[in-house]
Amino acid sequence: MKEDKNQKNQATISKSIEKVAKVMAKATLAYDFSYKEFMEYYKMHIVKECKQAKPRATVVEISARTGIDRRFVAPYIVAEEAKLKPSKVDLIFEDVQAICAKNDTFLIPKIEDKQSFEVVCRKHANGSLTPKSIFIELFRQGKLRDSGEYYELMKPKHNSNRLENAAKGMRKVSKQLVDSVADQDWE
């Protein structure tokens, strides 16, 4: 009987976690923020909260409780902000910009050149992302467009409205999440 009740409670907890994850997934896509950034901040805060709850906890204890590799626990404890690595797409775009600047052009060959888009993609995302999928993402971001045998750098658009709307949306989502648990007794 008691085990049956525990299973029901675990199922309720799992459904609740699923709902929170779904909200965050929708916010991530709607407001175009990085999943990696969210997860880095999440890991940093879970480590800090664990340490605050039990100040004498060792790195290994915190690692066991949170599931975060012990090598990363100590840096998270002292961090003020999460350290983010640029995404593969961002690294590729930086290289494309550098190649274009070096050659004093806005065009980069798609293939068949030692400084082609395909070569840059293989350097940073070999096997994990295709050059076509990387181009599609850069096109979606308004950074590259297809010009026949070349990809062309697009002029940067002022996207302050998009960023402002994303910031407002994220403030609203985070406020609602915080307000929904404000009455919880966490001690």
Side-chain angles (χ1 to χ4, degrees):
M1 185 75 155
K2 195 172 191 177
E3 195 170 305
D4 188 41
K5 188 175 181 181
N6 286 343
Q7 287 176 338
K8 285 182 182 178
N9 286 338
Q10 187 61 43
T12 301
I13 291 168
S14 292
K15 282 290 183 190
S16 299
I17 292 170
E18 181 183 355
K19 287 178 183 178
V20 170
K22 186 175 182 179
V23 166
M24 292 313 302
K26 285 183 175 185
T28 299
L29 294 172
Y31 303 121
D32 226 7
F33 72 87
S34 165
Y35 159 79
K36 281 184 175 182
E37 182 177 2
F38 173 75
M39 288 309 298
E40 283 301 309
Y41 276 108
Y42 176 75
K43 289 188 284 188
M44 181 183 80
H45 286 294
I46 197 168
V47 165
K48 286 179 178 279
E49 290 295 324
C50 191
K51 185 69 173 174
Q52 187 176 1
K54 189 177 177 190
R56 296 182 62 115
T58 65
V59 167
V60 174
E61 287 176 291
I62 294 171
S63 176
R65 178 149 188 224
T66 62
I68 296 170
D69 191 308
R70 64 183 170 74
R71 295 174 295 171
F72 304 114
V73 169
Y76 284 135
I77 290 171
V78 298
E80 291 298 318
E81 284 196 27
K83 291 185 174 87
L84 302 171
K85 294 179 186 174
S87 71
K88 291 177 182 180
V89 173
D90 291 338
L91 290 172
I92 289 166
F93 186 65
E94 286 174 12
D95 276 6
V96 167
Q97 286 181 309
I99 290 168
C100 288
K102 179 181 166 191
N103 296 332
D104 196 28
T105 183
F106 292 104
L107 302 172
I108 184 166
K110 290 181 181 179
I111 56 174
E112 299 177 10
D113 188 275
K114 57 186 171 185
Q115 289 190 327
S116 69
F117 185 75
E118 182 180 36
V119 170
V120 174
C121 291
R122 269 191 270 141
K123 174 183 169 186
H124 292 290
N126 193 18
S128 61
L129 296 170
T130 64
K132 182 168 179 122
S133 65
I134 294 165
F135 165 72
I136 290 170
E137 178 57 20
L138 290 171
F139 178 77
R140 187 191 70 77
Q141 293 176 8
K143 295 178 178 178
L144 281 183
R145 71 173 158 222
D146 193 341
S147 295
E149 293 181 19
Y150 297 91
Y151 289 130
E152 182 179 357
L153 290 176
M154 294 173 68
K155 291 180 183 174
K157 295 179 182 174
H158 297 287
N159 58 359
S160 60
N161 283 347
R162 191 176 69 82
L163 287 175
E164 190 175 310
N165 290 338
K168 282 180 187 175
M170 282 310 301
R171 279 194 300 271
K172 185 177 177 182
V173 169
S174 63
K175 182 180 180 335
Q176 289 173 345
L177 281 170
V178 169
D179 290 349
S180 71
V181 296
D183 61 344
Q184 297 293 316
D185 182 21
W186 298 102
E187 301 302 319

